[in-house]
Amino acid sequence: MKRMLIWLLLISSVTQLPAQSIRTVDVCVYGGTSGGVMAAYAARKMGKSVVLIEPGRHLGGLTTGGLGYTDIGNKYAITGLSLDFYRRLGKHYGNFEQWIFEPSVAENLFREYIKRGDVPVVYGHRIVSAKKVNGTIQEITLETPLSSVQPVNTVRAKMFIDATYEGDLLAKAGVSYTVGREANSQYNETWNGVQILNGHQFADGVDPYKVPGKPESGLLWGISPEPVAATGTGDKKVQAYNFRICLSSDPANMIPITRPEGYDSTRYELLLRAMEKDPKLTFNRILKPDRMPNQKTDINNFGPFSTDMIGTNYDFPEASYDRRAQIQREHELYNKGLLYFIGHDPRMRPEIREQMLKFGYPKDEYTDNGNWSPQMYVREARRMIGDYVMTQANCEGKEVVKDGVGMAAYTMDSHNCQRVVIEKNGMKMVKNEGNVEVGGFPPYPISYRSLIPKQNECKNLLVPVCLSASHIAYGSIRMEPVFMVLGQSAAVAASLAIDQKQPVQQVNVAAVQKILRENPLLDGSTPDVVVDDDDTRQVTMTGDWTKETRGGYGRSLVVDDSKGQSAKAVRFAPTLPKTGQYDLYAYFPRRPDASSQTTLLIHNGSSTQPVTLKKETIQVEGQTSGAWVKIGTFAFPAGKKAYVEVTNQGADGAVVADAVQWIAVK
């Protein structure tokens, strides 16, 4: 109760919308997630009046809620304001781009976008209802947790954008949606529905019963008594949630991890049994403590038993606000209890306890929430059933849409949905069900039609987060950088719909694509010029190069491993928009067989300058296969006179030619 009162006081102190007010704007963005912030900022840059409604107290969703070890997939997919965000983070940390960052740094940057865009933000208000007339949302009604003493508020807008993880606005507007997993047969998929695979899985033989070998003793906590359905069967089960946990190993910035409220060590018995069967389950294979700047972590689920609270979130997507708060509190206590268990239970191996005790809660993060993230990792909740449903066929490139307004590039990734008992070789054992990690495909376009409802359901709503996708396709799309891209795209489309007085279903998608391509930051600045190896109009090759489809920027890269025995080169020849100084970057993947040096020839239209790049200058960090490496700053003429050649001169290993980028110096 004390925590709730503090929360309510904080909410009332930051709310900017007066009681009993009616606010009328061009665009209302509901949900201050990363996608919501970028949608609101983009709509303002498009010249529209905007209000951003955030039901909580913080901006940025998971990007500020602990997920600082960014799930990227392929950097080719990250464009526009989303890419600008990671480059601004780079400036903070003294790098070109920064994909690994502290929560507070990210939230400060989102606040900067809000300030620069002059975006009004309303905190602590949540949707109660949506009034729709002839398929058009006229207004939404909002309440605060203090609604018993404060009247609700109304927002009227020409266009609405639902940028929540839960899809609350689309549901209140009567738009069709689904929860859970489709059967494989519904969209002709193979990785949807029930799946018992090997990833994040228990070794064979882990006994599921409270008293080993005795079913009559009952199941250990967290194991479902339900029989397992056939592979590919659909259901309403939701992949597990957790927290992306930010801890500190800096003694000066560390609060000890103590025994949480309601702690019950029996909830973690399965971890001990899993470790007994698999001695390889060390500290780093239980918690996955990815390292962040300033001795902090982004801890995610890993292995058979970790931070995912499997099977406890099924009702969250459609639950009341009170029930959701209860589920989140249960997840918080489970995660805090796990950390305490690992560090203090005498049955844990001593070296694991010692490693855990080196960490504590960071003093300088989440200072208004007990140094714990206020944002649970809601991996998936409602998914709209819109004008077009993205499926496994889109991920794998078997179906390619022409109306793409963003790209996805991550593995089809589902966390486990349930913990079950199976029988194998006559023995009962526990297994996790639902984990799928299938990738190996290049970036692919996300249809504009997957961001909009069917026209007969709603004409002025866009949904860049709970977009229209099957469960398994959503697992590939649902990455924070992609949500930012789609938030911007939704705002551009909403603005064009207002200008043309059209339903969102009739927006000229080619016009949206043109704005995103030619004015990616929506400020009139010169777009970066990127030439990729598969651009046959701007790339020519001398000699035989081997094309590879994994590990590069975009769809491919080319490699020469002849060690310079015969002269070979790949020429990247751009069309530059203006004469001037450009920062020049080349993209290189992480590969152990790379040459110790790579020679590039820089031609400025009249002369050629060789530059030798040493292997040790290629620093690749985080969940990506490569990085942009600065070659230098050069003067280039407008037009098609300049080029950069990647050569195999002096090579003693593999030489990679992937992509080159020209960024106009301001």
Side-chain angles (χ1 to χ4, degrees):
M1 179 60 69
K2 182 179 179 182
R3 286 169 60 96
M4 178 59 73
L5 288 173
I6 293 172
W7 187 82
L8 295 177
L9 288 171
L10 286 166
I11 286 292
S12 62
S13 69
V14 296
T15 298
Q16 298 175 18
L17 194 66
Q20 293 183 305
S21 67
I22 297 176
R23 180 169 294 195
T24 302
V25 293
D26 293 323
V27 180
C28 172
V29 180
Y30 184 70
T33 60
S34 60
V37 173
M38 289 311 183
Y41 176 82
R44 286 291 294 130
K45 298 299 285 185
M46 292 290 291
K48 304 304 179 223
S49 59
V50 177
V51 65
L52 173 61
I53 311 293
E54 166 48 38
R57 294 179 279 131
H58 295 274
L59 296 176
L62 258 298
T63 299
T64 61
L67 205 168
Y69 198 80
T70 308
D71 301 309
I72 310 168
N74 190 314
K75 292 178 181 176
Y76 182 86
I78 316 306
T79 56
L81 294 173
S82 180
L83 182 57
D84 181 67
F85 176 82
Y86 294 101
R87 289 190 177 166
R88 288 179 183 272
L89 283 175
K91 289 180 180 178
H92 175 86
Y93 288 106
N95 298 316
F96 174 49
E97 297 171 351
Q98 187 75 19
W99 305 87
I100 305 174
F101 49 85
E102 299 156 272
S104 54
V105 173
E107 185 163 10
N108 286 337
L109 180 52
F110 279 124
R111 291 193 188 110
E112 287 180 21
Y113 278 98
I114 292 300
K115 184 177 180 180
R116 283 188 288 114
D118 192 24
V119 176
V121 181
V122 176
Y123 295 91
H125 282 63
R126 56 200 189 190
I127 188 169
V128 176
S129 63
K131 179 181 178 182
K132 194 169 64 172
V133 177
N134 296 325
T136 300
I137 302 171
Q138 302 294 309
E139 62 186 34
I140 61 172
T141 301
L142 306 169
E143 68 172 9
T144 74
L146 298 174
S147 57
S148 60
V149 294
Q150 283 189 357
V152 296
N153 302 288
T154 299
V155 177
R156 296 171 179 167
K158 298 172 183 175
M159 291 286 152
F160 291 84
I161 296 174
D162 185 341
T164 63
Y165 293 122
E166 298 83 7
D168 287 341
L169 172 53
L170 75 89
K172 295 295 185 185
V175 171
S176 297
Y177 66 86
T178 188
V179 173
R181 303 179 285 185
E182 297 91 351
N184 272 328
S185 58
Q186 183 167 342
Y187 294 119
N188 193 29
E189 298 175 307
T190 56
W191 295 113
N192 212 332
V194 171
Q195 303 281 343
I196 297 183
L197 301 172
N198 295 325
H200 303 291
Q201 188 59 275
F202 287 93
D204 286 352
V206 176
D207 193 288
Y209 302 112
K210 292 179 180 177
V211 178
K214 294 189 176 182
E216 64 273 17
S217 67
L219 294 167
L220 288 174
W221 180 88
I223 301 176
S224 170
E226 288 187 24
V228 184
T231 298
T233 301
D235 56 31
K236 296 301 180 183
K237 295 179 172 66
V238 178
Q239 63 172 306
Y241 300 165
N242 69 343
F243 281 85
R244 297 294 286 257
I245 305 173
C246 183
L247 299 180
S248 173
S249 60
D250 178 2
N253 189 36
M254 198 171 77
I255 299 171
I257 295 169
T258 55
R259 181 186 180 108
E261 170 191 329
Y263 175 73
D264 181 357
S265 64
T266 64
R267 288 190 165 195
Y268 312 105
E269 178 71 26
L270 268 176
L271 176 57
L272 297 174
R273 295 191 187 182
M275 293 172 63
E276 183 180 354
K277 288 292 182 182
D278 184 3
K280 294 180 181 178
L281 286 179
T282 59
F283 179 76
N284 286 354
R285 293 176 62 83
I286 297 170
L287 289 181
K288 197 179 182 291
D290 291 315
R291 300 299 175 140
M292 308 269 279
N294 295 316
Q295 297 179 250
K296 295 175 186 174
T297 67
D298 170 1
I299 291 175
N300 196 11
N301 183 83
F302 196 84
F305 191 99
S306 186
T307 59
D308 278 359
M309 196 177 182
I310 298 172
T312 60
N313 62 334
Y314 299 159
D315 59 339
F316 182 89
E318 298 177 292
S320 67
Y321 295 122
D322 288 345
R323 175 61 182 139
R324 283 185 185 165
Q326 181 183 2
I327 294 170
Q328 175 156 331
R329 179 63 174 162
E330 291 167 357
H331 279 70
E332 177 183 337
L333 293 175
Y334 166 80
N335 275 255
K336 287 180 174 179
L338 176 63
L339 300 178
Y340 181 79
F341 179 87
I342 294 171
H344 294 85
D345 196 285
R347 295 169 293 174
M348 292 294 295
R349 294 202 300 269
E351 73 276 10
I352 294 180
R353 292 204 310 270
E354 290 173 9
Q355 285 178 285
M356 186 72 253
L357 293 174
K358 293 177 182 177
F359 291 94
Y361 301 122
K363 291 181 180 179
D364 60 346
E365 298 288 351
Y366 317 123
T367 56
D368 63 349
N369 198 58
N371 308 98
W372 182 264
S373 174
Q375 178 63 64
M376 183 168 64
Y377 195 170
V378 179
R379 290 189 172 93
E380 184 177 332
R382 296 182 178 98
R383 301 188 310 280
M384 180 173 64
I385 303 174
D387 226 23
Y388 180 87
V389 179
M390 299 289 293
T391 69
Q392 180 180 330
N394 297 106
C395 301
E396 295 177 337
K398 296 175 182 177
E399 185 172 331
V400 181
V401 300
K402 301 296 185 184
D403 62 339
V405 289
M407 302 195 81
Y410 205 75
T411 295
M412 288 183 287
D413 177 30
S414 172
H415 281 236
N416 283 302
C417 297
Q418 58 180 333
R419 190 165 277 149
V420 297
V421 178
I422 68 164
E423 184 172 337
K424 184 176 181 180
N425 299 325
M427 179 186 296
K428 298 284 189 179
M429 61 187 72
V430 63
K431 291 289 180 181
N432 291 330
E433 185 280 309
N435 184 83
V436 178
E437 296 168 273
V438 178
F441 41 80
Y444 59 92
I446 301 166
S447 172
Y448 171 70
R449 289 165 292 157
S450 70
L451 307 187
I452 57 176
K454 298 170 185 175
Q455 186 164 339
N456 64 351
E457 291 189 348
C458 192
K459 301 174 185 176
N460 65 335
L461 174 67
L462 296 106
V463 184
V465 177
C466 293
L467 72 159
S468 180
S470 71
H471 159 71
I472 201 61
Y474 191 78
S476 171
I477 298 168
R478 62 166 183 84
M479 302 302 148
E480 290 290 294
V482 176
F483 286 153
M484 285 191 258
V485 171
L486 298 179
Q488 177 179 355
S489 301
V492 170
S495 300
L496 294 184
I498 291 171
D499 293 343
Q500 299 299 319
K501 296 181 173 58
Q502 294 175 320
V504 293
Q505 292 81 7
Q506 295 177 20
V507 166
N508 183 344
V509 179
V512 176
Q513 294 169 328
K514 186 174 187 290
I515 291 171
L516 297 174
R517 182 177 61 252
E518 296 181 0
N519 191 14
L521 302 185
L522 303 178
D523 61 0
S525 60
T526 303
D528 302 342
V529 177
V530 180
V531 179
D532 195 23
D533 70 283
D534 63 359
D535 185 347
T536 56
R537 298 171 303 166
Q538 300 185 96
V539 175
T540 55
M541 300 185 190
T542 303
D544 295 327
W545 292 75
T546 301
K547 183 180 286 288
E548 297 181 2
T549 56
R550 290 197 179 196
Y553 179 85
R555 300 185 62 85
S556 64
L557 55 81
V558 293
V559 182
D560 171 61
D561 57 6
S562 69
K563 298 181 180 180
Q565 293 179 7
S566 59
K568 298 181 183 181
V570 179
R571 178 176 292 185
F572 298 83
T575 301
L576 296 177
K578 65 179 183 180
T579 297
Q581 295 283 319
Y582 287 83
D583 289 332
L584 185 66
Y585 290 82
Y587 197 83
F588 289 94
R590 178 197 293 116
R591 48 190 304 152
D593 64 342
S595 175
S596 64
Q597 63 179 33
T598 300
T599 299
L600 299 91
L601 302 179
I602 318 299
H603 184 74
N604 65 4
S606 58
S607 63
T608 303
Q609 176 183 345
V611 174
T612 300
L613 183 71
K614 299 296 184 181
K615 179 180 179 179
E616 55 267 24
T617 64
I618 303 172
Q619 301 293 325
V620 181
E621 296 181 333
Q623 300 196 70
T624 185
S625 58
W628 289 106
V629 179
K630 188 171 183 178
I631 309 304
T633 302
F634 305 89
F636 289 105
K640 300 181 179 181
K641 299 177 182 179
Y643 63 78
V644 171
E645 280 190 354
V646 178
T647 78
N648 66 350
Q649 296 177 20
D652 55 8
V655 173
V656 174
D658 193 351
V660 178
Q661 179 169 201
W662 287 257
I663 301 177
V665 177
K666 295 181 181 179

